[in-house]
Amino acid sequence: MTARTRAAITGWPVTQSRSPLVHGYWLKKHGIDGTYDKIAVSPDEAEAFYGNFAASGLKGCNVTIPYKEVAAAACDILDEAAREMGAANTLWLDRDGRLCGANTDWIGFLGNLDQRAPGWDEKHDCAIVLGAGGGARAIVWALCSRKFTSVHIFNRTFEKARQIADQFGPSVEAHSWDMLGTFLGKADILINTTSLGMTGKAPLEIDLGDLPKEALVTDIVYVPLLTGLLKQAAARGNRTVDGLGMLLHQAVPGFEKWFGVRPQVDDALRRLVLDDLEQAS
Ligand code: ATR
């Protein structure tokens, strides 16, 4: 008898994570006898946990805040995105017991837009990214992979935007927040990666007056699903995509690695997670 394949979301805290719901849905749908749990790893355990991952008994795991960097450092093999970003959110043990790591946040971003706004990257001259945290880095990576010729990052702390821009070369530029108005008129896509607009956080205050009507607007915040930014953009006729799909699509490669089936992000899964988010609010 082969042992049941076990995977988990790991981080600190993990209580709010919807990943068990997502993977549980796919396990059931595909009739796979596997498990996906929540494992809270305290800060004093983290290095040992990822450093000696085989001892956990897991085939692999997702990694959330604050351990994506610690996890990447513990890996024997990293994919290109995880190596360049220095952060891994998906880990698995290969046949030889080596710990492998990938960063799938950028795949989640692309999968969401490809599904909900087909053709969104046909015009790829100018992208505007608000924020410069880990989410922004993955999204800049995604935009560069789709050949955006000019990506502009705006952040409250300019230095963090500059660090990301420096990593990517001349097509990515950093700006201070107050320069946003100068660039909005050229945007093909506007992406919020800050936590502004999230339930319990300050609103994202932005004047979309100069934004072209053809520009796509998207947000990585998905609580609430329709953020103030998305509402404002939709009201003036811009195409919008909410952030929930990024969470769902980033989970696909991990599930495939651990359980051997490439799952689909379908409407029933989206509904399941949405209902859960609504119940919690
Ligand atoms: P993550 O790495 O998960 O993306 P993060 O590093 O906390 O998260 O980044 C959150 C982003 O939201 C940052 O760009 C942050 O700006 P700073 O780099 O200046 O901190 C942005 N952010 C959070 N609160 C903000 C606020 N009140 N005003 C402007 N930007 C804010």
Side-chain angles (χ1 to χ4, degrees):
M1 207 175 74
T2 53
R4 181 182 272 187
T5 302
R6 292 176 55 217
I9 174 75
T10 63
W12 184 261
V14 286
T15 30
Q16 298 303 314
S17 172
R18 264 68 189 192
S19 292
L21 203 57
V22 174
H23 290 281
Y25 170 83
W26 285 330
L27 285 170
K28 194 166 166 208
K29 184 174 169 186
H30 294 285
I32 295 169
D33 183 25
T35 62
Y36 186 100
D37 300 313
K38 288 180 187 176
I39 298 182
V41 180
S42 70
D44 51 350
E45 294 169 316
E47 236 177 89
F49 178 83
Y50 297 106
N52 188 17
F53 187 76
S56 69
L58 300 170
K59 164 83 178 165
C61 70
N62 284 124
V63 184
T64 187
I65 289 169
Y67 300 136
K68 293 183 185 184
E69 288 81 9
V70 176
C75 285
D76 301 305
I77 301 171
L78 289 173
D79 77 353
E80 193 190 356
R83 196 167 56 242
E84 289 291 321
M85 290 181 223
N89 70 336
T90 304
L91 307 185
W92 66 96
L93 289 167
D94 72 7
R95 273 185 212 173
D96 302 320
R98 290 173 303 191
L99 185 61
C100 305
N103 191 307
T104 68
D105 289 330
W106 70 284
I107 295 172
F109 175 77
L110 294 178
N112 186 30
L113 295 190
D114 288 344
Q115 186 173 49
R116 303 189 72 82
W120 67 276
D121 58 345
E122 273 163 24
K123 193 160 179 301
H124 48 256
D125 296 328
C126 177
I128 294 200
V129 177
L130 307 178
R137 195 179 291 267
I139 285 167
V140 171
W141 178 277
L143 294 165
C144 291
S145 80
R146 292 293 173 93
K147 312 285 178 235
F148 272 79
T149 43
S150 133
V151 177
H152 299 279
I153 309 172
F154 296 84
N155 197 41
R156 173 179 63 179
T157 311
F158 172 77
E159 182 54 25
K160 280 171 70 183
R162 197 184 57 79
Q163 280 171 14
I164 298 180
D166 282 355
Q167 201 182 345
F168 285 91
S171 61
V172 181
E173 281 178 46
H175 308 276
S176 58
W177 193 270
D178 54 345
M179 294 302 289
L180 182 57
T182 323
F183 288 85
L184 221 44
K186 302 179 196 159
D188 297 316
I189 181 168
L190 169 66
I191 305 134
N192 176 45
T193 78
T194 74
S195 48
L196 296 171
M198 192 185 290
T199 303
K201 300 273 163 107
L204 172 58
E205 278 163 17
I206 182 169
D207 177 359
L208 296 181
D210 289 336
L211 185 72
K213 289 277 164 35
E214 302 73 35
L216 177 69
V217 179
T218 185
D219 203 323
I220 69 168
V221 171
Y222 56 88
V223 181
L225 189 66
L226 289 182
T227 60
L229 172 68
L230 295 180
K231 281 188 191 159
Q232 195 187 336
R236 64 193 293 285
N238 288 94
R239 196 156 58 139
T240 61
V241 176
D242 65 66
L244 181 59
M246 182 171 168
L247 170 78
L248 305 179
H249 282 272
Q250 63 78 28
V252 168
F255 189 90
E256 186 177 17
K257 285 282 178 210
W258 310 318
F259 302 114
V261 175
R262 188 166 182 84
Q264 296 293 313
V265 173
D266 58 21
D267 288 345
L269 174 61
R270 198 177 144 82
R271 190 68 258 160
L272 181 75
V273 179
L274 264 180
D275 286 349
D276 190 65
L277 290 169
E278 274 160 22
Q279 261 176 22
S281 67

